Amino acid sequence: MDQSIGEFLRSRRARIQPGDVGLPEYGRRRVPGLRREELAQLAGVSVDYYVRLEQGRSPSVSDAVLDAIARALRLDGTESAHLRNLARPGRTTRMAERPQRVRPGLLRMLEMMRDVPAFILGRRMDVLAWNPLADAVTGFSGMDRPNAARHAFLYPAGRALYPEWEGVAAETVAYLRLDAGRHPGDALMADLVEELSAGSEEFRRLWAGQDVVEKTHGRKLIRHPRVGELEFRFETFAPPGDEDQLLVAYTVAAGSPAEERLRLLAADHASGAPAYVLT
C-alpha cells in the first residue's frame, strides 16, 4: 500500500511553484513544483535533513520541524496532522485490526432516529450499522461487506446513486487515505486498497493524488431509483470513547421537495431495528 511520507511530501511540493512563495524560478525543472532544496530553505532546515525525512529516515523529527515544513507547504490542519502520522509510523495496529463493535446505546440512538437516515462508519470506511431509513436511501444491506468505498467504486448501483459521483469519489479516497495514515501498517487497509485498485482505474488515479480530508459535514446529492433526487446535508459525530467510529446523519431542508420524498421512503420503512454488522 502506497502510504509513505515521501510520496505525500512530493505530492505537496508539486502543488507549489517557486514564484508562489517568493523564490526565483531558475533552471529547467524535471518535475513540477518546489525542489527539495527550496523547501528546505523555506522550512529553515538543511537539505540533507529534509532528504532524510522525505526518505523516512528521521523517525525522531521534532514538532517544530514538522510545523515549519507544514507552513512552507501551506498544509491545512488535516494535512498537517496526516504529515505527523506519516512521520511517526511506529504505532502498532493490532488493536485496529480487531472486530469493531457498536455500543448498544448507539444502536438504540439509530433506532430512535426514525425520520433521519443515519449510520455508523468505522475503520476503513466499513459501515458498521444503519437504521432502516438509511438503508432505504443507500442500499447498504445489499452489500456482502458494507463499506462506503466499495459502495462508491465497485458497485454499479452505488455509483448510479450519486449524480455528482466525481466529487463523492474524491472525498471518499481522501478520507480513506487519512484513515490509513492514522493506522500505518494496517494489513486490512492494505487489502482494501488492493481490492479497490484492482477494480477501479478511477480509484487508482485518486489514491495516487495523496489528498486527505476529514469527514465532518457537507452536501450529498442522491438520485434515488424510486423517489428521485434527494439533496442532503450530512453531519458527522465522533462518539466519545471511540475515535475510530463516526455517526453520520443526513438531513433535508424544511419544506423542500427532498423532505417530501424522504417522507415517502420513511412511510415504507417506519418499523424495524437498525442493522449491525460485526467486522
Side-chain angles (χ1 to χ4, degrees):
M1 178 178 60
D2 171 21
Q3 189 65 18
S4 71
I5 188 172
E7 290 292 333
F8 180 66
L9 287 172
R10 285 190 287 274
S11 73
R12 301 307 92 173
R13 283 197 288 117
R15 298 189 308 182
I16 301 176
Q17 299 304 314
D20 297 337
V21 290
L23 295 176
E25 299 192 37
Y26 57 89
R28 184 176 180 179
R29 292 176 181 266
R30 293 178 296 175
V31 294
L34 292 177
R35 296 186 173 112
R36 287 171 168 175
E37 57 268 26
E38 291 169 333
L39 178 55
Q41 175 185 340
L42 291 170
V45 299
S46 72
V47 176
D48 181 65
Y49 186 90
Y50 176 76
V51 169
R52 291 201 309 273
L53 175 63
E54 196 169 279
Q55 293 175 344
R57 296 190 290 119
S58 294
S60 59
V61 58
S62 69
D63 288 342
V65 169
L66 292 175
D67 289 343
I69 290 173
R71 287 192 298 271
L73 289 172
R74 301 181 176 181
L75 304 185
D76 62 23
T78 301
E79 291 172 320
S80 297
H82 185 63
L83 174 61
R84 288 180 184 239
N85 288 332
L86 296 179
R88 296 161 180 161
R91 299 183 291 165
T92 179
T93 58
R94 290 182 180 177
M95 289 292 292
E97 295 182 16
R98 292 180 180 176
Q100 291 184 275
R101 291 174 171 81
V102 181
R103 298 198 301 262
L106 289 175
L107 291 174
R108 176 58 178 157
M109 186 181 298
L110 290 182
E111 185 178 14
M112 296 178 69
M113 297 170 69
R114 299 185 185 277
D115 298 326
V116 178
F119 55 93
I120 303 293
L121 201 64
R123 286 289 332 282
R124 312 168 201 94
M125 302 193 77
D126 286 338
V127 186
L128 304 180
W130 55 84
N131 64 11
L133 191 52
D135 190 36
V137 170
T138 63
F140 285 141
S141 65
M143 301 181 64
D144 294 333
R145 295 171 294 166
N147 177 280
R150 288 193 186 96
H151 188 250
F153 285 97
L154 302 183
Y155 281 69
R159 182 164 182 160
L161 199 63
Y162 304 112
E164 300 171 341
W165 183 84
E166 290 79 6
V168 172
E171 179 188 78
T172 298
V173 173
Y175 181 76
L176 193 67
R177 186 172 276 284
L178 182 67
D179 184 72
R182 288 170 174 162
H183 300 276
D186 180 0
L188 296 179
M189 175 67 83
D191 291 343
L192 176 62
V193 170
E194 182 178 356
E195 177 188 354
L196 294 169
S197 297
S200 172
E201 180 180 352
E202 293 96 337
F203 178 85
R204 293 195 299 273
R205 175 180 58 81
L206 290 167
W207 185 258
Q210 298 283 330
D211 291 332
V212 291
V213 68
E214 185 66 89
K215 190 177 181 71
T216 55
H217 65 279
R219 172 181 173 272
K220 186 67 65 71
L221 188 64
I222 285 178
R223 183 185 292 119
H224 195 275
R226 182 187 163 207
V227 300
E229 193 168 283
L230 296 163
E231 183 174 353
F232 291 109
R233 305 298 300 185
F234 70 84
E235 298 286 343
T236 67
F237 307 90
D242 196 334
E243 63 180 13
D244 289 330
Q245 292 185 15
L246 290 176
L247 170 64
V248 183
Y250 286 171
T251 63
V252 292
S256 66
E259 183 180 40
E260 181 60 32
R261 292 165 186 165
L262 190 62
R263 284 200 186 104
L264 293 176
L265 288 178
D268 291 341
H269 299 80
S271 61
Y276 172 45
V277 178
L278 183 64
T279 62

